[in-house]
Amino acid sequence: MSKVTVEDLRKFGKIRYFCDLTTRNIQLWNDTLTARLKTQSSVHGYHKRLKPYIAEAKSLQLIKDNPYDNMPRISRGKSESIKFLTEAERKRIEDLELYGPTEKARDMFIFSCYTGLAYSDLIKVNRTTIFEENGKYFIMDQRVKTGGEYRLTILPPAMAILEKYNFNINLMTNQKCNENLKIIAHMANIHINLTMHVGRHTFATWALSKKVPIATVSKMLAHTDVKMTEKYARVLQNSVDDGFDHLLDCM
């Protein structure tokens, strides 16, 4: 089970033992998730990660009934389109002359664009997680969300940001970063909801557009399943299809 799910159940407090896995408690947990999370797809994700363990507990006769059997189906919600920046858009943000909080938020975002790290993993980067080998520098750690280990090469733009902040880029909260990124998006004439996680999406689509194999990109992102990475390939294909549709309209 993912660390995020375990931690959320711990905070919820009503599901600690096998006997607590009741339909009522699962429904109460679902209510707290729905109230806290922004999208139904996120709520569904928590249940999706818990269900296999409940099924295994039942098969081992640790619980009598599967609590989900007596609940309405948990909706997946509407799938959200992946937001990412083109190289030109990323460059516009890199070239902005910024100061104070906007500069720090921009640098954290660009670091994500060149590493693929989510905010929760990005803020853990420091000298203890960086290693040198044959003249190259790497970040080695475990993802907060899944616990999966990863090793990634620090590309020059990312290294420049680390050196700028003395290898400590835990500069502000995710919320503050996203607030400043809205200002930055306006300044760079970018018309999407710019958040820290867009940096991770930007890295993935950029790597795939440069013909890095999808299995390799999956490992770069520390995905537990290559199917998680395939969504980026589908986004790129949709962009190609839209391009051809635009050409047809011009004929």
Side-chain angles (χ1 to χ4, degrees), residues 125-136:
V125 175
N126 55 49
R127 291 186 184 276
T128 66
T129 61
I130 297 172
F131 303 88
E132 189 269 339
E133 184 178 299
N134 298 324
K136 292 183 179 180

Side-chain angles (χ1 to χ4, degrees), residues 50-119:
L50 177 62
K51 283 182 177 181
Y53 293 92
I54 287 183
E56 184 177 0
K58 184 180 178 183
S59 70
L60 294 173
Q61 298 184 337
L62 296 172
I63 57 175
K64 182 179 179 181
D65 300 308
N66 187 326
Y68 284 101
D69 289 345
N70 297 316
M71 285 181 60
R73 186 179 66 86
I74 305 295
S75 171
R76 290 178 177 269
K78 295 182 179 179
S79 59
E80 299 177 352
S81 59
I82 294 173
K83 304 292 193 300
F84 65 96
L85 299 184
T86 64
E87 289 185 67
E89 289 171 330
R90 184 188 66 200
K91 181 74 163 53
R92 292 209 300 270
I93 291 178
E94 290 180 88
D95 289 345
L96 288 174
E97 190 170 337
L98 302 171
Y99 305 94
T102 53
E103 180 183 18
K104 292 177 179 178
R106 185 270 308 278
D107 291 345
M108 292 176 73
F109 175 77
I110 293 300
F111 188 84
S112 179
C113 289
Y114 283 108
T115 61
L117 289 177
Y119 173 85

